[in-house]
Structures are given as C-alpha cells and as structure tokens.
Amino acid sequence: MSALDRVKASVEAELKVWDQPSIAVGVIKDGKVELCEGFGYADVESGRKADADTLYQIGSCSKAFTAAAAAVLVDQGKLDWDKPVIEYLPWIRFMDPFTTYHATTRDLLCHRTGLPRHDAYWIDGPCTRRGMVENLRNMQPAWSFRSNWCYQNTCFVAVGMLIEALSGQTWEEFVRENLLEPIGMTRTTFFVDDIAGDPNHAEPYDRVVPTDLTGMTKIPFLKSDREDRAKGIGAPYGPAGSIMSTVRDMLKWVEFNLNDGKVGDKQIISEANMKELHKPQMLMSTPLLMDYPEMDFYSYGLGWFLETYRGHKMVEHGGNINGFSALTTMIPDQKLGVVCLVNFNDSFNTYATTYDILDSYLGAEGGDWHNRMRAFIADTFRAMLEQNKGADSEQIPNTTPTHPIEAYAGTYRNACYGDIVIAQKDGKLTFTYNKQESPLTHFHYDTFRIDDVHALFNGMTFSFETGKNGKVEAIRFGIVMNPAAKDEIFTKVEG
C-alpha cells in the first residue's frame, strides 16, 4: 500500500471514530495535486456523498482572502499597510483615542489592537457591516494597543469596509474579481443562499449535546443571504468568515500562496506583499490550541497563523462556523499544502488529519494525532465541568433574591452588546439575547445562571444591581469570551 493509500484509508477510518458526517481532503506537493477527494456524507439524512466539488463553509479561513485583497490595494498604491485607518475611514473610532488615531491596516489584520473578541453581539444579531465597525467604539479594550495578541473578528470586518471604500466595490465583488476569478476558484461563493441552493453542498451538523463526543444532529446555517447583503444587512461578518468553497478550489488557493502570488506566469499579488502576508507580525503569548512539542514560535501574520512544525515554517489558518470546520495549511519549504473541510461544528479532525498527512510527507512517526486530539477535547470538556463545579462551590446556599421575581423583568441595554430581555414565565425568569431564549436558575442572592446547553452564554452567571431607590437598575455581566476585560453593565431601559 502506498503512502497516499495509507492516508486515504486512515482518513476514512478516523472519520468513523470521530463520528462526524464527512471530510474533504486535498494535498498538493511541488505543484501537483496528489489528493482531492471527499469522504463520508455531505447530507447524512439523504445519503448524499461528499466529493471534491462539495461546497463547505470555510469560516475564518476567509480572513486570508481579506488580507490578500488588502495586499492587492497596496500593490495598486491605494493603501499603505502602516497608514492609520482613520485616514481612509474618517468615521472609524475605538474606545481608546490613541488606538483610533494610530491603528493601521497591519494592526487590524494581525489582531493587536488590544481588543478581546467581543463576538457575542453579532452572532445571530441584528447587525450591518457598517454597524459592526461602528461598534468598535463601544468595545472595552483588555490590553493596551499593540501589547497583546487576541483574535478579533470585527477588526477584519473593518478591513473589509476599508476595501469597499477604496475600491468602490463590495468586499465580495472585489475578492471575486481580484482573487477568485484569476485563481480559477469557480465554485467559491459568499452567501448561504448560494450554498443551500447548490445541489452539491454539505449540510451543517453538531453534537446533540455539545459536551458529548458522539451523536450528531443537523443545525441551521449561519445566515448570510445575497438579498439581505444587497440591503446592507446580510453577512455582516463576511470579511471575517463568510466564504464557502470546495476542496478542489481551495487547493488552487494554496497553490497560489505557495507560488508567491502567481497564477501561471501572471503575478496577481507582488512577491513582496505575499511575504508580508506570510511573515510574523505579532507574537502570540500562547498557542491557539495547546502547546505541542512538535510546534514552536507561535505568531500571527496578516490573515495567517505562523509557527514551526517539526522544524519547518508552517503557514495555516482554521475556520469554524455553525456546523462547519476548515483548515488550510502550508509548509512552504516543502512546497506542500493540505486542505481539510468538515461539515461539523468545532471539529478537530481537520487538525488531526492535516498533521497526519504532514508527517507522512516529512517522514515523521509517532504523531498519533487523532488520539491526541480526541484526548485534548475530552480534557477540555473535563476542565469545563471542573470549572462549573468550582463555580458551584462558590454558591452560597439557602439564599433568596432580594426582590420579588417580577422586579427583575425588563429590557437591559449595553452600548456594545445591545439588549438583554429578562421575562417572567410561570414564576421563573428567562434570558433572551439575539432572539435566543434560555431559562435562568437562581444561583444566590441577586445572581442567576443561564442553563441551556445550546445557548451562547450557557453556564455563565450574572448579577442584578439595585439603585439607591431600591429598584433593580442594571445587570453586571462578565462576558466569558473577553479575557482580561472588565464586566459589561446592561442598564435597565424598560420594565
């Protein structure tokens, strides 16, 4: 059995162990496509198989396209990596004035503005693309400008708005005309109605219970409609993560990057700016996942993660979006690229399969990546359960709320996150955010916990605050996705 046959056999066997519907895998070496194939089911219920042309959402792998589109504008002389963005978008503001007047395109593309993620407000929220970028002014920084790396989606949306302002086209139009079409990525698209209307698309899946390692259920796509985009309200997160593609198309993208911005004899992006995209721009204090001995020197370029893998420079980026996971990886000195696309939420099969393939080409043994990744997930879930137990140990027993239950009901507003609606139903409280309603459990005194395994804030506690007049006036909420940031205050505006 050849090395490639062993890889394919392993991919099929491990897909069953992961208990996930499908994976599309592509490998390119020295300019030759060595594997481009789908395994498993694009749609489990109908029995429709995945293949090399099945459309998957690639999530944050889209960020590299946004960075590359910016590089096109730099080559055209319309954009300077290091010129403050406010000079191109005079309306852009950050909460910190120094950041407002000094943040550059480079800063936005390498996650070093000092902002934590602040993602919750836009996930299924009533946002426009312009509204997302305007919301930067309401986001609390967690660190000083350029002092710390932290993944930040809204800053990529800001670069998308910058591309639109400088080109006179939508981000989607500019990426298609300047990248997808020259590269030959004919099936790649941006809108859920495109993928859902295509006969060869993957359906999104997740676990029935998020902390279980088996069992799957079909879930909705994250909305990004062409019609809504024309009205300015669809796919607001687009430049950070709305692209949909196939493994065949993504191998063309990998080849373009491995060829330093060339397609055939045509230089689409200058070699100099391709080097800017692929070189370290900001050190990461910790790896995104876990600290593997095979990897070192973690950093971020412009739309790409950078580290060493078994002594080789590795350029890669993952993507996760409702029901889909993706990973694009390159070892430039080996002219080696791997793409893995999975129609399953938060799948680490993409990483395990990629590292297995890299090892087969690098002649390395003992990686045991699938078992190590599954152990990592199990350890992560155990840590979450222990953390919840720790929170429970802080609970003060035999306490009651200080107000009648109806006094807590109302609408609470925060400049960055919008509205939380607390309602009373059958003597208990519910929590609604971005149209998702979840039950609340009394924790102690005026602190309550969100108990809904499918909710964005599941397991999080927040406290009601009383004003001098004795009435409930606010909610104090520590957003768990924002490490090092202060609590957010939601002020009562109705009820």
Side-chain angles (χ1 to χ4, degrees):
M1 183 184 286
S2 70
L4 194 56
D5 287 336
R6 283 195 296 272
V7 165
K8 290 170 67 173
S10 173
V11 168
E12 289 189 290
E14 290 294 347
L15 183 63
K16 294 176 182 177
V17 179
W18 281 97
D19 194 23
Q20 294 173 2
S22 77
I23 183 170
V25 182
V27 180
I28 188 167
K29 178 75 168 80
D30 297 322
K32 178 187 175 185
V33 173
E34 302 210 337
L35 177 62
C36 183
E37 195 170 329
F39 303 84
Y41 295 94
D43 186 341
V44 174
E45 287 75 13
S46 71
R48 181 163 47 82
K49 293 287 191 79
D51 60 34
D53 297 307
T54 300
L55 280 169
Y56 293 77
Q57 291 192 277
I58 68 169
S60 287
C61 291
S62 306
K63 288 181 170 64
F65 289 85
T66 296
V72 171
L73 289 172
V74 174
D75 280 340
Q76 292 175 353
K78 296 178 180 178
L79 177 66
D80 186 318
W81 292 121
D82 299 306
K83 189 173 180 178
V85 175
I86 194 173
E87 295 188 30
Y88 301 107
L89 298 177
W91 49 269
I92 197 169
R93 295 290 185 277
F94 292 81
M95 186 174 285
D96 170 42
F98 187 87
T99 306
T100 295
Y101 291 102
H102 293 85
T104 66
T105 304
R106 190 188 303 274
D107 295 318
L108 300 185
L109 289 175
C110 71
H111 303 295
R112 65 183 188 191
T113 61
L115 290 177
R117 292 189 71 128
H118 286 297
D119 279 340
Y121 79 93
W122 63 265
I123 298 175
D124 290 328
C127 299
T128 64
R129 194 164 291 176
R130 168 87 181 226
M132 283 186 71
V133 180
E134 287 182 338
N135 202 26
L136 286 167
R137 69 191 64 195
N138 299 315
M139 297 180 190
Q140 292 188 59
W143 304 274
S144 59
F145 181 55
R146 293 181 185 161
S147 68
N148 194 84
W149 181 91
C150 188
Y151 203 75
Q152 223 293 330
N153 282 298
T154 308
C155 287
F156 266 78
V157 178
V159 176
M161 290 293 295
L162 176 61
I163 289 166
E164 293 185 347
L166 294 179
S167 70
Q169 297 176 285
T170 66
W171 169 79
E172 291 89 348
E173 290 167 344
F174 188 84
V175 170
R176 180 170 297 285
E177 182 179 309
N178 291 277
L179 295 173
L180 303 186
E181 290 177 357
I183 295 170
M185 299 177 70
T186 56
R187 282 194 44 77
T188 302
T189 185
F190 307 90
F191 303 103
V192 160
D193 42 3
D194 286 345
I195 185 175
D198 191 292
N200 189 5
H201 75 273
E203 292 286 336
Y205 291 86
D206 198 359
R207 294 285 176 230
V208 179
V209 178
T211 53
D212 286 350
L213 296 180
T214 58
M216 68 180 80
T217 185
K218 190 179 288 187
I219 64 173
F221 287 97
L222 186 62
K223 185 176 174 65
S224 61
D225 293 341
R226 181 184 296 276
E227 182 179 343
D228 283 349
R229 177 64 183 118
K231 300 174 186 174
I233 57 175
Y237 60 91
S242 74
I243 289 177
M244 298 148 212
S245 192
T246 70
V247 72
R248 192 187 306 277
D249 268 12
M250 288 298 289
L251 284 177
K252 296 175 184 178
W253 170 243
V254 168
E255 184 177 21
F256 166 75
N257 278 271
L258 288 172
N259 285 344
D260 296 322
K262 265 188 176 182
V263 177
D265 294 328
K266 187 175 181 181
Q267 194 79 43
I268 308 299
I269 297 175
S270 67
E271 282 193 44
N273 275 318
M274 291 301 294
K275 285 186 172 66
E276 291 296 318
L277 299 177
H278 293 165
K279 79 180 184 184
Q281 306 283 345
M282 184 65 183
L283 291 175
M284 297 167 59
S285 56
T286 57
L288 188 67
L289 300 178
M290 63 180 289
D291 199 359
Y292 298 109
E294 292 86 353
M295 301 176 206
D296 206 350
F297 304 109
Y298 300 98
S299 61
Y300 200 87
L302 301 179
W304 293 100
F305 287 95
L306 302 160
E307 54 262 323
T308 58
Y309 182 85
R310 299 190 185 275
H312 300 269
K313 177 184 175 181
M314 181 165 70
V315 182
E316 51 91 5
H317 210 293
N320 287 287
I321 199 165
N322 295 26
F324 292 92
S325 302
L327 183 62
T328 308
T329 306
M330 296 174 285
I331 306 290
D333 68 2
Q334 300 295 303
K335 288 289 183 182
L336 173 63
V338 181
V339 176
C340 289
L341 308 176
V342 174
N343 56 332
F344 199 82
N345 208 47
D346 289 328
S347 173
F348 284 76
N349 190 6
T350 54
Y351 288 95
T353 300
T354 294
Y355 298 157
D356 247 5
I357 291 170
L358 295 182
D359 283 357
S360 71
Y361 279 89
L362 295 174
E365 296 181 353
D368 194 23
W369 287 108
H370 289 278
N371 286 326
R372 287 168 73 186
M373 286 290 177
R374 284 191 286 268
F376 169 68
I377 295 170
D379 288 346
T380 300
F381 285 156
R382 274 194 292 270
M384 287 169 56
L385 292 173
E386 289 300 318
Q387 187 176 14
N388 289 340
K389 287 180 183 177
D392 288 344
S393 70
E394 297 173 0
Q395 186 176 17
I396 301 171
N398 305 317
T399 65
T400 58
T402 61
H403 294 72
I405 204 74
E406 62 270 13
Y408 300 97
T411 299
Y412 297 79
R413 184 164 297 158
N414 175 275
C416 177
Y417 289 90
D419 290 354
I420 289 173
V421 177
I422 306 295
Q424 180 194 180
K425 287 189 177 180
D426 302 322
K428 294 185 177 181
L429 295 178
T430 62
F431 174 102
T432 299
Y433 184 69
N434 285 351
K435 299 179 181 179
Q436 183 177 34
E437 183 181 287
S438 303
L440 289 177
T441 301
H442 180 248
F443 191 71
H444 57 218
Y445 297 114
D446 286 339
T447 298
F448 289 75
R449 181 167 59 195
I450 301 162
D451 281 322
D452 181 353
V453 293
H454 298 291
L456 184 65
F457 298 129
N458 179 48
M460 292 180 62
T461 58
F462 63 90
S463 300
F464 291 93
E465 297 191 340
T466 302
K468 292 179 180 179
N469 60 5
K471 295 181 179 180
V472 178
E473 289 188 345
I475 289 173
R476 178 177 292 274
F477 203 169
I479 308 293
V480 73
M481 288 180 283
N482 296 337
K486 297 177 182 177
D487 288 350
E488 297 286 346
I489 303 299
F490 290 72
T491 303
K492 196 171 190 180
V493 294
E494 293 178 20

